Amino acid sequence: QLQLVESGGGLVQPGGSLRLSCAASGFTLDYYVIGWFRQAPGKEREGVSCIGSSDDSTYYLESVKDRFTISRDNAKNTVYLQMNSLKPEDTAVYHCAAGPSHPTDNYCTPGWYDLWGQGTQVTVSS
């Protein structure tokens, strides 16, 4: 079974930090583009951050740039999203997803991704 499992979500106060993990099983993520996406109630799903399969190039949503960092640990078959300086606007369900290698490498459009995790809730509130 090909599977991605997210963990690390929770409730945090504004300004706090969380680290999300995306663990792959049934395949190795080395050759895939991996993305973190989020969806808040009433809003469209958006790409938060994606990391390429060839040279580890990265993409960040402008609103999270300089606050979030995506990384991969191939030895652990896991991708992480470190989230710092969290804001209430970051509240959403976060999903990781995998897709085949893309010419742009860090392509972060949801439709490209065909394997999705179950999601983890991130709530930023005082």
Side-chain angles (χ1 to χ4, degrees), residues 23-111:
S25 62
F27 72 105
T28 56
L29 52 74
D30 303 48
Y31 305 112
Y32 293 84
V33 182
I34 307 297
W36 285 99
F37 302 85
R38 69 186 183 188
Q39 187 167 25
K43 296 183 178 180
E44 294 184 359
R45 183 174 57 191
E46 61 184 353
V48 178
S49 183
C50 295
I51 187 166
S53 60
S54 60
D55 61 358
D56 288 332
S57 61
T58 58
Y59 162 88
Y60 294 96
L61 186 67
E62 186 65 28
S63 62
V64 310
K65 188 174 177 61
D66 300 325
R67 297 189 296 119
F68 292 9
T69 303
I70 190 170
S71 62
R72 66 164 78 217
D73 186 339
N74 288 340
K76 296 183 177 180
N77 213 26
T78 300
V79 173
Y80 304 96
L81 184 67
Q82 179 66 46
M83 305 186 294
N84 298 326
S85 301
L86 284 162
K87 303 176 180 180
E89 307 91 88
D90 297 317
T91 296
V93 176
Y94 285 70
H95 294 263
C96 68
S101 181
H102 190 276
T104 59
D105 203 19
N106 60 358
Y107 196 62
C108 213
T109 297

